[in-house]
Amino acid sequence: MRVFVLTAALAAAVIPLAAPAQVSVNINVPGIIAVAPPAPRYEPVPAPRSGQIWIQGNWYWSNNNYAWRPGRWETARPDYDYAPGRWVRADGGYRWVEGDWKPKGGHGNGHCPPGQAKKGRC
């Protein structure tokens, strides 16, 4: 009888541990933000400066929230246009694509005259 009681007590202790467990997995893809960025803020463009371009401010992700980075002046590069940074939809969220300098008149400068893309010129 004593063995039966010990076996029953052990079974009562082990059975709850064997119950099915529910697992939740949240996959965090680096660089992907699940929350859409707010609309851009209005910033008046300052008067032009010789040899400088104005880069508009933008939202950036910091400490689980968006924060505003104000616009700034950047030294212009001869024969290059600046393609501003932007938020793009990617992998079920949003990813920031940094601004970059593109050669003027070359491929990838962000501008293609009407009808030229179909002709393979952009």
Side-chain angles (χ1 to χ4, degrees), residues 7-22:
T7 304
L10 181 62
V14 172
I15 288 175
L17 298 176
Q22 184 176 5

Side-chain angles (χ1 to χ4, degrees), residues 64-77:
N64 294 323
N65 203 359
Y66 284 100
W68 181 254
R69 177 182 296 127
R72 67 190 188 282
W73 288 104
E74 184 90 18
T75 302
R77 294 177 59 186

Side-chain angles (χ1 to χ4, degrees), residues 11 18 28 31 39 49 55-56 59-60 67 72 78 81 83 99 101 121:
N28 185 12
R49 291 184 183 177
I55 297 177
Q56 202 66 28
W59 292 105
Y60 67 97
R72 67 190 188 282
D81 288 323
W101 293 94
R121 296 183 183 155

Side-chain angles (χ1 to χ4, degrees), residues 15-43:
I15 288 175
L17 298 176
Q22 184 176 5
V23 176
S24 177
V25 177
N26 184 12
I27 299 174
N28 185 12
V29 178
I32 299 292
I33 310 302
V35 180
R41 286 185 179 174
Y42 170 75
E43 283 188 323

Side-chain angles (χ1 to χ4, degrees), residues 21-122:
Q22 184 176 5
V23 176
S24 177
V25 177
N26 184 12
I27 299 174
N28 185 12
V29 178
I32 299 292
I33 310 302
V35 180
R41 286 185 179 174
Y42 170 75
E43 283 188 323
V45 178
R49 291 184 183 177
S50 180
Q52 302 276 306
I53 65 157
W54 176 253
I55 297 177
Q56 202 66 28
N58 61 276
W59 292 105
Y60 67 97
W61 187 252
S62 175
N63 297 324
N64 294 323
N65 203 359
Y66 284 100
W68 181 254
R69 177 182 296 127
R72 67 190 188 282
W73 288 104
E74 184 90 18
T75 302
R77 294 177 59 186
D79 302 323
Y80 285 84
D81 288 323
Y82 186 78
R86 64 200 179 285
W87 286 97
V88 296
R89 290 193 63 96
D91 300 325
Y94 297 86
R95 179 186 303 267
W96 175 252
V97 177
E98 284 293 335
D100 197 11
W101 293 94
K102 307 289 183 187
K104 282 186 181 180
H107 291 289
N109 68 353
H111 176 70
C112 186
Q116 298 302 307
K118 290 181 181 178
K119 297 176 184 174
R121 296 183 183 155
C122 294

